[in-house]
Structures are given as structure tokens and as C-alpha cells.
Amino acid sequence: MLKKITPTQLAISVYFFICGLIFSSWASRIPAIKDHFSFNEAELGAVLFTLPLGALSALPFAGWVVQKLGSKRISIYSLIVYSISLFLISIANTVATLSVVLFLFGFIGNLANISMNTQGLVIQKVLDKPILSKLHAMWSIGAFLAAAISGWTMKLNFTTSTHFILIALLGLLSCLSVNKFLVKDQENNQPQKIFVLPTKGLMLLGFICFCVAMSEGAMADWSSLYYRMALKDLQKVSTTGYTAFAFSMAIGRFMGDRLIQLFGYNRVLKLNGLFILIGMSLALAFHSSITVIIGFSLVGLGVSSVFPVVYILAAKNTSMAPSAALSAVSSVGFVGFLVGPPIIGFIAQQTGLRLALGIVAFLGLFIWLLTFKVKK
């Protein structure tokens, strides 16, 4: 029998879902953007870098504005602007305009990330049960659906602007139809600072975020290439390996809240680290398609609930406001997304991709070891 989902839980789930849908819709059309501007790989890389630059720029600002105006209000505003900025990408007609819009897209996307996770924690406290992992699962489901929709629009020869305006309208309608069910942040009588250096505990959580973000970034950029090597057919393009990873990550997020209730935060983090370590070791030790798929699936389970658990633990700190704490750990973690893939690529150039991806196994080991220092 399905447990009843409250309108409030459904509303924040829709917000996470739409964010995943919007981001993945953009990612699916990157080749079309490349062709439209006749970019070479270097030029495309330079323009694409403006998006994570915008996302990183948002983090110091996000904690302050969410604390000042409330996670409900910022979640609504940011999702509206996020939807509109997706459409603006498709009508940018110069490289400079595209770069500015992508910076805005990254900035607003991370503002939405901090505000919606803060709102999720507020709702979780109201419901008195963990829900954050399932919310991150809804983001994954949105991303999966976006890939299918993108394939459908390309098959029907929809232009990028037509595709994006449909997604943007869906985002706006969804946001406006459920925004009334979000809740106001609970007032805290204890004074909480916005701008304060993170404590050792928050830095520890941030480094765990760094490890899992670097692992996830490496899987996103290099898993398909490694799977092709496992097939021993360098001419064949297959996303099977990455799909196994992404699907397991979504399943793990749906299971995460229940696992937290059964085993507690620390044990779940330890399991996450071990799954990453064992999964990547298996994929690298036995060079066959079956073992790679199994290994990548275990890595997906490993990275699935680390961010939700870390966000919950960060919000429990008393040194700063929850939104500021989330921004702090996200800032450290986000560096992992930026530096992970290039580091893997550099090492792969020198030693080969198999040895380079061994870094992911070590990151799983680091997560497991660091968890012993995390306070419950």
C-alpha cells in the first residue's frame, strides 16, 4: 500500500523534478548549439565554462539571500527565472550573449539548488521524516525524462527554441500551480550568522561532497569511453555503462530515506563509500562489459545519497544559518565537479584511462574513512 504524499511534499518534489528536466534539456541540445555557432571543441569548452562559473559565483550569495527572503520565496523566484533562462539560451544569437545567458543559467540553477534543498529540509522537519533523498531522486527522474523528450523533439525536427520554450512553459506552469503548498521557513530564536568561516565539521562534510562530486563528474565524462574500451570496439558508441550508473543512482536515492531511518546517517555514508570503492575496483579489475555494468551500478548506488545525507548533517550545525551551511559545503563540493574530469583526462593521457579511473575507487575509500570523523 502506497503511503500518502502530502500536497507540500508533492510540491517540493515537482520543483526538484522540473529542475532536473530543465538542466538535462539544455545538456541534450549542446551539440545543436555547437553546430549553430560552428564552434570547435576548444571554443565550445570555453563557452560552456561560463555555466559552472555562474554556478560557483552564486554560492556565496545564495546562503544570504535565502536566509534573508526565505527558501519558499527564493525557490519560486529562482525556478521562474531558471525556466525563462532556458529559453533565452535558444535565442542567443552571438557568442557574447550566449556566454552571458549561460552564466545566468548556472547562477540561477545553483540558487535554485540551495533554496530548494533548504525548503526540503524545512518540509522534512515539518513531516518529521527524511525526504531529501527522494527529492534528489525526483531530480534524476526529471533528467531521465528530459533525455526522452529531447530525443522525441529531435526526431520531429523541432528547433532548439521550440523545444526549450515548451520546457520553459511546463516549468512556469508547474511552479505557479504548486507554489502555494510550499511552507515558510521556521523562525529560529537563536542568532545565526550568514557570513562566518565554516567549522571543521562543515569543512569535513564539504570534503566528502568534494569526493562524491569528483566521482560523479568523472563518471559523467569518462564512463561511456571506458565502457567502449571494455567492449574492445573503439568505433562503437554506447551509453550502456553510464545508463547503468545513472539508473542505479536514481534507485539509490529513492531508497536513501528508508536506509537513513534504518541505519542512521553515518552508516549510510560508510555504505556509500564502500559501494564506490568496490564498484569501481570491480569495473577496473575485470575488463568485460558485464563486470563494468555491475561495477558502474554499484558506483551509482554509492554516490546516490551522499549529497542528501551531507546536506541534512550540515543543516544541523549551530554556527550559521542552514542555507549558509548548505552553500558552504556545496562550495567545497562544487570544486570536485570542476576539477574532477580534467584531472582524470590528464592522468589518462599519461597512464591510460583504466589507471586514471582508479582515482574514483580511492575517493570511495576516502569517503568511508572520513565518515568515521563525522559527528552523528
mmCIF file of all heavy atoms in Angstrom, residues 105-132:
data_model
loop_
_atom_site.group_PDB
_atom_site.id
_atom_site.type_symbol
_atom_site.label_atom_id
_atom_site.label_comp_id
_atom_site.label_asym_id
_atom_site.label_seq_id
_atom_site.Cartn_x
_atom_site.Cartn_y
_atom_site.Cartn_z
ATOM 1 N N PHE A 105 22.240 31.199 -16.336
ATOM 2 C CA PHE A 105 21.642 29.872 -16.188
ATOM 3 C C PHE A 105 22.320 29.101 -15.052
ATOM 4 O O PHE A 105 21.652 28.472 -14.221
ATOM 5 C CB PHE A 105 21.776 29.125 -17.510
ATOM 6 C CG PHE A 105 21.020 27.821 -17.575
ATOM 7 C CD1 PHE A 105 19.627 27.799 -17.600
ATOM 8 C CD2 PHE A 105 21.692 26.603 -17.647
ATOM 9 C CE1 PHE A 105 18.925 26.602 -17.677
ATOM 10 C CE2 PHE A 105 21.003 25.404 -17.731
ATOM 11 C CZ PHE A 105 19.615 25.401 -17.744
ATOM 12 N N GLY A 106 23.647 29.152 -15.013
ATOM 13 C CA GLY A 106 24.383 28.478 -13.943
ATOM 14 C C GLY A 106 24.151 29.128 -12.589
ATOM 15 O O GLY A 106 23.982 28.447 -11.572
ATOM 16 N N PHE A 107 24.125 30.474 -12.577
ATOM 17 C CA PHE A 107 23.917 31.230 -11.333
ATOM 18 C C PHE A 107 22.551 30.902 -10.737
ATOM 19 O O PHE A 107 22.439 30.548 -9.550
ATOM 20 C CB PHE A 107 24.040 32.725 -11.624
ATOM 21 C CG PHE A 107 24.008 33.604 -10.405
ATOM 22 C CD1 PHE A 107 25.188 34.037 -9.826
ATOM 23 C CD2 PHE A 107 22.799 34.000 -9.834
ATOM 24 C CE1 PHE A 107 25.166 34.859 -8.698
ATOM 25 C CE2 PHE A 107 22.770 34.814 -8.716
ATOM 26 C CZ PHE A 107 23.948 35.243 -8.143
ATOM 27 N N ILE A 108 21.499 31.014 -11.551
ATOM 28 C CA ILE A 108 20.136 30.784 -11.071
ATOM 29 C C ILE A 108 19.931 29.312 -10.722
ATOM 30 O O ILE A 108 19.236 28.978 -9.752
ATOM 31 C CB ILE A 108 19.104 31.228 -12.131
ATOM 32 C CG1 ILE A 108 19.193 32.736 -12.344
ATOM 33 C CG2 ILE A 108 17.690 30.844 -11.715
ATOM 34 C CD1 ILE A 108 18.887 33.568 -11.112
ATOM 35 N N GLY A 109 20.552 28.422 -11.494
ATOM 36 C CA GLY A 109 20.419 26.992 -11.201
ATOM 37 C C GLY A 109 20.949 26.633 -9.827
ATOM 38 O O GLY A 109 20.330 25.855 -9.099
ATOM 39 N N ASN A 110 22.066 27.221 -9.446
ATOM 40 C CA ASN A 110 22.619 26.915 -8.124
ATOM 41 C C ASN A 110 21.869 27.639 -7.020
ATOM 42 O O ASN A 110 21.766 27.137 -5.890
ATOM 43 C CB ASN A 110 24.109 27.249 -8.070
ATOM 44 C CG ASN A 110 24.932 26.066 -7.595
ATOM 45 O OD1 ASN A 110 24.398 25.001 -7.282
ATOM 46 N ND2 ASN A 110 26.231 26.231 -7.541
ATOM 47 N N LEU A 111 21.330 28.818 -7.316
ATOM 48 C CA LEU A 111 20.468 29.498 -6.345
ATOM 49 C C LEU A 111 19.225 28.645 -6.077
ATOM 50 O O LEU A 111 18.790 28.497 -4.927
ATOM 51 C CB LEU A 111 20.071 30.876 -6.873
ATOM 52 C CG LEU A 111 19.195 31.745 -5.964
ATOM 53 C CD1 LEU A 111 19.886 32.006 -4.631
ATOM 54 C CD2 LEU A 111 18.863 33.063 -6.653
ATOM 55 N N ALA A 112 18.664 28.072 -7.148
ATOM 56 C CA ALA A 112 17.519 27.174 -7.001
ATOM 57 C C ALA A 112 17.907 25.940 -6.194
ATOM 58 O O ALA A 112 17.136 25.459 -5.350
ATOM 59 C CB ALA A 112 16.991 26.759 -8.371
ATOM 60 N N ASN A 113 19.108 25.442 -6.425
ATOM 61 C CA ASN A 113 19.583 24.254 -5.709
ATOM 62 C C ASN A 113 19.629 24.493 -4.201
ATOM 63 O O ASN A 113 19.121 23.678 -3.417
ATOM 64 C CB ASN A 113 20.962 23.870 -6.240
ATOM 65 C CG ASN A 113 21.618 22.763 -5.433
ATOM 66 O OD1 ASN A 113 21.040 21.705 -5.212
ATOM 67 N ND2 ASN A 113 22.833 23.004 -4.976
ATOM 68 N N ILE A 114 20.220 25.605 -3.799
ATOM 69 C CA ILE A 114 20.339 25.907 -2.372
ATOM 70 C C ILE A 114 18.970 26.185 -1.759
ATOM 71 O O ILE A 114 18.643 25.673 -0.677
ATOM 72 C CB ILE A 114 21.275 27.113 -2.149
ATOM 73 C CG1 ILE A 114 22.695 26.800 -2.641
ATOM 74 C CG2 ILE A 114 21.296 27.501 -0.674
ATOM 75 C CD1 ILE A 114 23.345 25.623 -1.959
ATOM 76 N N SER A 115 18.140 26.973 -2.440
ATOM 77 C CA SER A 115 16.829 27.327 -1.878
ATOM 78 C C SER A 115 15.913 26.111 -1.778
ATOM 79 O O SER A 115 15.214 25.931 -0.771
ATOM 80 C CB SER A 115 16.163 28.425 -2.714
ATOM 81 O OG SER A 115 15.940 27.995 -4.041
ATOM 82 N N MET A 116 15.911 25.250 -2.797
ATOM 83 C CA MET A 116 15.018 24.093 -2.774
ATOM 84 C C MET A 116 15.480 23.039 -1.778
ATOM 85 O O MET A 116 14.653 22.380 -1.144
ATOM 86 C CB MET A 116 14.895 23.489 -4.173
ATOM 87 C CG MET A 116 14.089 24.364 -5.120
ATOM 88 S SD MET A 116 13.628 23.550 -6.658
ATOM 89 C CE MET A 116 15.229 23.173 -7.311
ATOM 90 N N ASN A 117 16.799 22.865 -1.619
ATOM 91 C CA ASN A 117 17.277 21.941 -0.594
ATOM 92 C C ASN A 117 16.969 22.466 0.804
ATOM 93 O O ASN A 117 16.618 21.696 1.698
ATOM 94 C CB ASN A 117 18.784 21.690 -0.763
ATOM 95 C CG ASN A 117 19.092 20.586 -1.745
ATOM 96 O OD1 ASN A 117 18.936 19.402 -1.439
ATOM 97 N ND2 ASN A 117 19.506 20.955 -2.944
ATOM 98 N N THR A 118 17.072 23.791 0.976
ATOM 99 C CA THR A 118 16.697 24.384 2.259
ATOM 100 C C THR A 118 15.203 24.202 2.508
ATOM 101 O O THR A 118 14.785 23.837 3.619
ATOM 102 C CB THR A 118 17.050 25.881 2.279
ATOM 103 O OG1 THR A 118 18.440 26.059 2.011
ATOM 104 C CG2 THR A 118 16.735 26.485 3.649
ATOM 105 N N GLN A 119 14.370 24.439 1.488
ATOM 106 C CA GLN A 119 12.931 24.230 1.615
ATOM 107 C C GLN A 119 12.629 22.756 1.900
ATOM 108 O O GLN A 119 11.761 22.443 2.729
ATOM 109 C CB GLN A 119 12.230 24.674 0.330
ATOM 110 C CG GLN A 119 10.737 24.400 0.268
ATOM 111 C CD GLN A 119 9.900 25.234 1.229
ATOM 112 O OE1 GLN A 119 8.717 24.959 1.410
ATOM 113 N NE2 GLN A 119 10.491 26.255 1.848
ATOM 114 N N GLY A 120 13.371 21.852 1.246
ATOM 115 C CA GLY A 120 13.187 20.422 1.504
ATOM 116 C C GLY A 120 13.479 20.058 2.947
ATOM 117 O O GLY A 120 12.762 19.247 3.558
ATOM 118 N N LEU A 121 14.519 20.683 3.516
ATOM 119 C CA LEU A 121 14.852 20.422 4.919
ATOM 120 C C LEU A 121 13.786 20.976 5.857
ATOM 121 O O LEU A 121 13.479 20.373 6.893
ATOM 122 C CB LEU A 121 16.220 21.032 5.243
ATOM 123 C CG LEU A 121 17.424 20.333 4.601
ATOM 124 C CD1 LEU A 121 18.677 21.185 4.733
ATOM 125 C CD2 LEU A 121 17.638 18.956 5.232
ATOM 126 N N VAL A 122 13.216 22.129 5.495
ATOM 127 C CA VAL A 122 12.126 22.712 6.297
ATOM 128 C C VAL A 122 10.925 21.770 6.286
ATOM 129 O O VAL A 122 10.328 21.478 7.331
ATOM 130 C CB VAL A 122 11.727 24.103 5.755
ATOM 131 C CG1 VAL A 122 10.468 24.616 6.462
ATOM 132 C CG2 VAL A 122 12.866 25.094 5.928
ATOM 133 N N ILE A 123 10.543 21.284 5.100
ATOM 134 C CA ILE A 123 9.403 20.374 4.977
ATOM 135 C C ILE A 123 9.689 19.055 5.678
ATOM 136 O O ILE A 123 8.810 18.478 6.330
ATOM 137 C CB ILE A 123 9.079 20.142 3.488
ATOM 138 C CG1 ILE A 123 8.587 21.448 2.861
ATOM 139 C CG2 ILE A 123 8.034 19.045 3.314
ATOM 140 C CD1 ILE A 123 8.428 21.395 1.358
ATOM 141 N N GLN A 124 10.926 18.595 5.574
ATOM 142 C CA GLN A 124 11.317 17.358 6.256
ATOM 143 C C GLN A 124 11.129 17.481 7.764
ATOM 144 O O GLN A 124 10.664 16.551 8.429
ATOM 145 C CB GLN A 124 12.789 17.065 5.933
ATOM 146 C CG GLN A 124 13.355 15.812 6.592
ATOM 147 C CD GLN A 124 14.737 15.487 6.072
ATOM 148 O OE1 GLN A 124 14.881 14.916 5.010
ATOM 149 N NE2 GLN A 124 15.770 15.841 6.823
ATOM 150 N N LYS A 125 11.455 18.653 8.302
ATOM 151 C CA LYS A 125 11.274 18.881 9.735
ATOM 152 C C LYS A 125 9.803 18.917 10.108
ATOM 153 O O LYS A 125 9.394 18.391 11.157
ATOM 154 C CB LYS A 125 11.964 20.191 10.129
ATOM 155 C CG LYS A 125 12.095 20.381 11.629
ATOM 156 C CD LYS A 125 12.997 21.568 11.950
ATOM 157 C CE LYS A 125 13.195 21.697 13.457
ATOM 158 N NZ LYS A 125 14.086 22.846 13.791
ATOM 159 N N VAL A 126 8.973 19.513 9.241
ATOM 160 C CA VAL A 126 7.528 19.573 9.477
ATOM 161 C C VAL A 126 6.924 18.170 9.468
ATOM 162 O O VAL A 126 6.100 17.809 10.306
ATOM 163 C CB VAL A 126 6.837 20.464 8.427
ATOM 164 C CG1 VAL A 126 5.315 20.349 8.534
ATOM 165 C CG2 VAL A 126 7.278 21.915 8.595
ATOM 166 N N LEU A 127 7.342 17.347 8.494
ATOM 167 C CA LEU A 127 6.810 15.991 8.357
ATOM 168 C C LEU A 127 7.423 15.020 9.363
ATOM 169 O O LEU A 127 6.893 13.932 9.582
ATOM 170 C CB LEU A 127 7.062 15.472 6.935
ATOM 171 C CG LEU A 127 6.390 16.236 5.789
ATOM 172 C CD1 LEU A 127 6.814 15.660 4.452
ATOM 173 C CD2 LEU A 127 4.871 16.192 5.931
ATOM 174 N N ASP A 128 8.555 15.408 9.942
ATOM 175 C CA ASP A 128 9.269 14.582 10.915
ATOM 176 C C ASP A 128 9.676 13.227 10.318
ATOM 177 O O ASP A 128 9.522 12.184 10.939
ATOM 178 C CB ASP A 128 8.412 14.362 12.174
ATOM 179 C CG ASP A 128 9.236 13.834 13.351
ATOM 180 O OD1 ASP A 128 10.448 14.112 13.369
ATOM 181 O OD2 ASP A 128 8.666 13.130 14.209
ATOM 182 N N LYS A 129 10.163 13.256 9.086
ATOM 183 C CA LYS A 129 10.699 12.062 8.440
ATOM 184 C C LYS A 129 11.625 12.493 7.314
ATOM 185 O O LYS A 129 11.420 13.550 6.711
ATOM 186 C CB LYS A 129 9.582 11.178 7.890
ATOM 187 C CG LYS A 129 8.768 11.802 6.759
ATOM 188 C CD LYS A 129 7.743 10.825 6.206
ATOM 189 C CE LYS A 129 6.974 11.445 5.034
ATOM 190 N NZ LYS A 129 5.980 10.511 4.460
ATOM 191 N N PRO A 130 12.662 11.704 7.028
ATOM 192 C CA PRO A 130 13.586 12.092 5.957
ATOM 193 C C PRO A 130 12.931 11.993 4.578
ATOM 194 O O PRO A 130 12.291 10.993 4.254
ATOM 195 C CB PRO A 130 14.735 11.085 6.096
ATOM 196 C CG PRO A 130 14.148 9.921 6.812
ATOM 197 C CD PRO A 130 13.090 10.470 7.713
ATOM 198 N N ILE A 131 13.071 13.044 3.775
ATOM 199 C CA ILE A 131 12.523 13.035 2.409
ATOM 200 C C ILE A 131 13.536 13.550 1.383
ATOM 201 O O ILE A 131 13.290 13.479 0.182
ATOM 202 C CB ILE A 131 11.242 13.896 2.300
ATOM 203 C CG1 ILE A 131 11.566 15.374 2.601
ATOM 204 C CG2 ILE A 131 10.140 13.384 3.202
ATOM 205 C CD1 ILE A 131 10.462 16.334 2.212
ATOM 206 N N LEU A 132 14.690 14.057 1.851
ATOM 207 C CA LEU A 132 15.603 14.755 0.956
ATOM 208 C C LEU A 132 16.170 13.835 -0.131
ATOM 209 O O LEU A 132 16.365 14.263 -1.275
ATOM 210 C CB LEU A 132 16.746 15.394 1.755
ATOM 211 C CG LEU A 132 17.432 16.583 1.082
ATOM 212 C CD1 LEU A 132 16.442 17.696 0.822
ATOM 213 C CD2 LEU A 132 18.595 17.090 1.923
#
